[in-house]
Amino acid sequence: MTTATEEAGLAGAPPLTGPLLFLITALLGFTLLKEGTDLVATQEPQLAFAWAAAVGALTAAFLWVDPRPLPRFALRALRGSVIFLALYFAVEPFAVPYAALPPDHPAVVLHQLGRPIGIALAVIGWWRPSALFGSAMLLWMMRELQTELTGFYFSTLDIRNVAEIVAFLSIGFTLIAGARRVEGVRRALAVDDALIQTGTMMMLAAAIGAHLANYFWSGLAKLALDGGFFSWLLDNRLSDGIPAALEKGTLPFAAWPWAVEAVHGALVFLSVPINILSWTVQILAVVAVWKRRWLILATIAFDVFHVIVWATLGLLFWKWIALNMIVVATLAAVREDEWNRVVRTTAVLFVIAGIALFRVATLAWYETPGFASPYFVARMDDGSLHRVPNAYFGSSSYQVSQGRLWYPGGYGHFNPSIWGSVLSHKDAVAGRTCTVPARSEPAAEQWGPRHQLALYMQAQHKRVLAHADDRGIWHYYRVPHHHVPSPLVADSFYPLDKRRIASYMFVMDSVCLSLDQGRLKRQVVKRSVLPLYDARADRVLQ
């Protein structure tokens, strides 16, 4: 039942025709832009300039719109987004190897020029929401292009959600604020303070619902894993993520073996209750939006969850944390009675159905201590071999860490996975028991091809040399990594003069991991080595 306050609010509320029309128009515009952006980024990158012209024209066409008629909470959402985008463009160098497209290709040129333009648009967005739209769309395109630019799958899981939410909100808020200024629209839709209030609240609720859909649908995806309905809850061993993080070089407390041993032991004991608690918080996202206070608490809980994931595995969803902070700051400017039944219903609908309109992550996998672990190795001019940390690849470190680069196939390897996280319960058990899957025929070679991987390494080496200091050192830890390198752990590769690198190779280890007094113990079941690039002769080897 509604309270007296809610009933009074609903009774005095304007008709929903106008707010719904704004919401539907914003969704249609967003959907067209989404389809067009993904088409250009993934299939027609040569149209990057045409895309930029279209988005630039839309940005310029609505620059006259002043956001000041909007409620305080809407301004807070917009300006929080401005701060985030300006910060992101400032700290993210977009340093990827252009290995798949020529230097004069429109996609390469746009990617190279986009960063200062994105910062400028974000700053202008403080006063003009259409500029914020342009900045968000540019970020979206630049990240999506990176698969085509490098020649290998480049996940946008860490940022796509944020770019979409900011783009959608800026579209909706620009439409509503602009309608107040256009006499014909203002009269036709009876745009007054009440309609603006309702319209912006529904737009905000839709955006928050679409964001929380990532948590809700991830919870559902965990139930759909092939090990059975409750397999993730009862048999996902979080402790197995500790040696995997040591293998990848991301465990935050790797420098202290006693801490590694202590946390690993705690996770062995607490895996099931932690699984149940985190899953419950995710699945209750659809309920949390029903009350403003519940929503604030749930959003804070999601950020705490992200911090714990970073603290235990080194996976830092700092962009999602930032978006959650914007959500909490925005909701703090919303009165309890403003979060009424219409707004709540909108939020619930988008938590459930947002997956049909927005890119929604469905994060569900099993941790396992045995998997196919890929990495690069550099041979120096003195013949010494050094494992190349993922951070060496700058903005592509996320791409390299996930490992969708090349899988040799054949016999004797674990099945390919991402980060050592597997989607099949059989693969999880195989890793736990250090039992490579028996095959009646050789596994197929995946990803690559080999020649493209060699070109990728060549392009990265040349980029490193172009940005190295006079000692031949490239400061790759200055990039805000998603898979954050372990702090305080010595990196023997970092101080080496990169001009002394003679060649690179790619290694695939099928490895079973364990701990020995807090230190990583590796049992290599099978190793495949692929020579890639002769840096001395500037010659690819595949």
Side-chain angles (χ1 to χ4, degrees), residues 72-73 201 204 292 329-336 338-339:
R72 186 166 64 102
F73 69 82
M201 282 298 305
L204 176 67
R292 186 187 68 96
T330 301
L331 290 172
V334 174
R335 298 193 312 271
E336 198 69 46
E338 291 175 324
W339 197 260

Side-chain angles (χ1 to χ4, degrees), residues 106-120:
V108 175
V109 176
L110 178 64
H111 195 264
Q112 291 175 325
L113 297 177
R115 189 182 178 197
I117 297 172
I119 293 175

Side-chain angles (χ1 to χ4, degrees), residues 375-379 385 503-507 529-533:
Y375 56 92
F376 292 87
V377 171
R379 184 188 299 275
L385 298 177
S503 63
Y504 292 90
M505 64 189 77
F506 185 80
V507 178
V529 178
L530 183 68
L532 290 179
Y533 175 57

Side-chain angles (χ1 to χ4, degrees), residues 280-300:
T280 301
V281 172
Q282 287 183 323
I283 211 71
L284 288 180
V286 70
V287 177
V289 296
W290 199 249
K291 292 286 187 179
R292 186 187 68 96
R293 291 179 182 176
W294 296 354
L295 180 53
I296 289 174
L297 291 174
T299 307
I300 293 172

Side-chain angles (χ1 to χ4, degrees), residues 115-181:
R115 189 182 178 197
I117 297 172
I119 293 175
L121 287 172
V123 172
I124 297 171
W126 188 271
W127 301 277
R128 293 294 183 264
S130 73
L132 180 63
F133 156 78
S135 182
M137 292 304 300
L138 183 58
L139 170 57
W140 182 343
M141 173 59 81
M142 289 175 68
R143 280 298 305 268
E144 288 294 342
L145 277 174
Q146 289 178 177
T147 292
E148 293 298 314
L149 294 172
T150 62
F152 294 92
Y153 172 78
F154 201 122
S155 175
T156 57
L157 173 66
D158 62 320
I159 192 62
R160 171 69 178 258
N161 168 49
V162 184
E164 285 194 356
I165 296 303
V166 175
F168 170 71
L169 271 183
S170 54
I171 291 170
F173 288 169
T174 298
L175 288 174
I176 294 172
R180 186 68 176 264
R181 292 275 303 277

